Amino acid sequence: FAGHAIVLGVDPARFGDDFSVITLRQGLKVHYQISLSGFDGPELAGRIVEICRQEKGISCIAYDANGNGADLDSALRRAPDLPLLIPVVWGIPAKDDKHYFNQRSEAWGKMRDWLKDGEIPDDDALIDELCSLDYGYDGLFRIQLQSKQDMKKNGGKSPDKADSLAISFIPELIDRKLVVAKVRPPQRRKV
């Protein structure tokens, strides 16, 4: 794994029983996962900046930019000296749209294939989450995952750790040119 790129995958959560999870993965090895409770977007961004300073060689940060991730997205775009940022919108069509309904389903499929040889931490919660998500097929016989909302309605917990690991596969699924957005300093209005 030492020759592979280091990817930081982040699944943000706000408050309640969900956790924000940061996953550091390099090739076939997940080095660690950090679960944080009650962190808002700027606080989570601060923790990510801290990790990027400690861990040298992180090539990109992939994170869920929908819903709770909107605050995180704006905070990360303002942080200086970060590696490439990849905001993930789970609902967009999959690259392999013949087999997968959306990008989330495709990332979980890539993670499933990776798990045949990949190394994850000895964590019962992660293992339970990897096995707990149901799936079905849409009208075109493409794999479609159960939504987090449906999972919670049925008494399950949000698969925060598993989603954070799945997000780390997004850079491998994107074949478009990625551009890093730079924020301009605000201009002061003259009165």
Side-chain angles (χ1 to χ4, degrees):
F1 65 87
H4 290 85
I6 301 172
V7 177
L8 206 63
V10 184
D11 181 39
R14 192 71 180 199
F15 302 107
D17 60 347
D18 292 349
F19 289 90
S20 294
V21 180
I22 302 171
T23 299
L24 185 76
R25 183 178 69 84
Q26 184 176 17
L28 291 173
K29 181 176 177 73
V30 173
H31 289 285
Y32 59 79
Q33 286 191 313
I34 300 172
S35 297
L36 306 166
S37 179
F39 278 54
D40 65 0
E43 291 172 329
L44 184 58
R47 185 60 66 96
I48 292 168
V49 168
E50 217 176 272
I51 290 171
C52 289
R53 287 186 184 140
Q54 292 171 356
E55 300 287 342
K56 301 299 180 205
I58 294 176
S59 62
C60 65
I61 302 169
Y63 56 95
D64 184 356
N66 280 342
N68 296 331
D71 285 345
L72 174 63
D73 182 41
S74 62
L76 286 176
R77 289 178 188 271
R78 287 176 174 75
D81 303 325
L82 286 180
L84 179 67
L85 298 177
I86 303 175
V88 176
V89 180
W90 280 129
I92 66 173
K95 179 179 169 185
D96 179 8
D97 61 354
K98 292 184 190 264
H99 296 103
Y100 298 102
F101 175 72
N102 58 16
Q103 198 173 48
R104 182 172 184 243
S105 302
E106 187 175 23
W108 273 73
K110 178 85 173 163
M111 180 175 61
R112 177 198 60 210
D113 297 341
W114 175 87
L115 281 168
K116 294 175 186 170
D117 299 313
E119 181 182 328
I120 60 174
D122 186 17
D123 182 357
D124 291 337
L126 173 60
I127 294 166
D128 289 343
E129 289 177 11
L130 289 169
C131 301
S132 66
L133 200 61
D134 289 334
Y135 68 93
Y137 296 93
D138 70 351
L140 299 174
F141 298 105
R142 299 178 298 183
I143 294 175
Q144 182 176 3
L145 293 179
Q146 178 185 26
S147 71
K148 287 184 180 184
Q149 291 81 12
D150 289 342
M151 192 171 188
K152 285 185 171 186
K153 283 180 191 174
N154 297 333
K157 288 177 35 180
S158 177
D160 300 321
K161 290 183 174 190
D163 268 342
S164 176
L165 178 56
I167 287 172
S168 74
F169 292 96
I170 291 294
E172 299 168 22
L173 299 175
I174 297 174
D175 70 7
R176 65 181 183 270
K177 185 177 179 182
L178 300 170
V179 179
V180 178
K182 297 290 181 189
V183 176
R184 290 186 208 157
Q187 295 180 353
R188 294 191 174 259
R189 294 189 306 170
K190 295 179 182 177
V191 180

